[in-house]
């Protein structure tokens, strides 16, 4: 593969984080990425720092977390998803179509602007992959809590070339 997507990520000023560093006492009995034929399902991902640690801004959007910080958290979550995909697929150039993004936002009571937060993911996917491959269906919903107090968790479904 030619690594066109990896080069585009770098040219946009982003780098993919290391795999998520879990607390030593936590065991997750599932896969972060499941490939079945040409379909790929991504489990919920959280925003990560470059070294794989959980992103430091925590809390509820609309209270202790601004929409701008939550938007950045959605971008960081997208980069974490891409990091998982690159390890699993060998190259992000194998991605032929993003199908579905499901964004779960840790919201304060009454916060209803979840779409603007999850745009951090959607806009970045389209920026990286172009509208033909990066466009997708989407849900952006508010949740009472997200693991580790993160402002967002995102899962996705996509298709790949063989």
């Amino acid at each position: 593969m030619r690594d066109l997507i990896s080069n585009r990520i770098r040219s946009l000023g982003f780098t993919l984080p290391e795999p998520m560093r879990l607390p030593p006492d936590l065991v997750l009995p599932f896969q972060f990425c499941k490939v079945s034929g040409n379909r790929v399902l991504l489990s919920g991902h959280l925003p990560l720092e470059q070294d794989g640690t959980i992103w430091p801004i925590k809390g509820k959007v609309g209270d202790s977390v601004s929409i701008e910080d939550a938007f950045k958290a959605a971008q960081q979550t997208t980069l974490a998803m891409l990091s998982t995909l690159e390890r699993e697929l060998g190259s992000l150039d194998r991605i032929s179509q993003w199908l579905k993004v499901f964004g779960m936002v840790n919201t304060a009571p009454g916060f209803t602007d979840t779409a603007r937060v999850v745009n951090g993911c959607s806009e970045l996917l389209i920026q990286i992959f172009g509208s033909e491959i990066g466009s997708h269906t989407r849900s952006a919903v508010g949740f009472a809590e997200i693991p580790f107090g993160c402002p967002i968790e995102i899962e996705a479904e996509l298709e790949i070339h063989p």
Side-chain angles (χ1 to χ4, degrees):
M1 296 277 170
R2 299 185 310 170
D3 292 326
L4 295 173
I5 298 300
S6 293
N7 290 335
R8 187 167 303 134
I9 291 167
R10 282 190 294 280
S11 74
L12 292 169
F14 295 104
T15 54
L16 300 182
E18 295 296 319
M20 184 173 162
R21 293 168 60 193
L22 296 171
D25 60 336
L26 181 62
V27 176
L28 299 177
F30 61 87
Q31 296 174 305
F32 280 98
C33 182
K34 180 78 170 178
V35 178
S36 179
N38 69 332
R39 303 285 274 220
V40 179
L41 297 171
L42 284 175
S43 294
H45 279 63
L46 301 172
L48 300 179
E49 287 286 320
Q50 196 58 43
D51 65 357
T53 56
I54 302 286
W55 205 52
I57 296 176
K58 306 227 182 345
K60 296 192 175 296
V61 184
D63 183 23
S64 60
V65 178
S66 69
I67 291 176
E68 295 76 21
D69 283 340
F71 182 94
K72 290 176 191 168
Q75 289 181 319
Q76 289 302 119
T77 304
T78 304
L79 296 171
M81 294 177 354
L82 294 174
S83 179
T84 296
L85 286 166
E86 187 174 66
R87 284 189 304 281
E88 181 70 28
L89 303 175
S91 172
L92 296 173
D93 292 334
R94 290 188 59 199
I95 297 170
S96 60
Q97 183 66 60
W98 285 86
L99 300 173
K100 173 82 175 176
V101 166
F102 182 62
M104 298 159 273
V105 181
N106 187 358
T107 57
F111 182 82
T112 59
D113 211 358
T114 56
R116 279 187 41 205
V117 172
V118 182
N119 282 350
C121 173
S122 295
E123 291 174 10
L124 186 56
L125 287 176
I126 292 168
Q127 204 175 7
I128 291 170
F129 290 91
S131 59
E132 187 173 318
I133 294 171
S135 292
H136 50 273
T137 63
R138 190 184 89 179
S139 297
V141 297
F143 276 69
E145 298 295 335
I146 299 289
F148 305 109
C150 290
I152 191 163
E153 180 176 356
I154 302 173
E155 64 181 48
E157 184 174 351
L158 52 139
E159 287 184 340
I160 57 172
H161 300 291

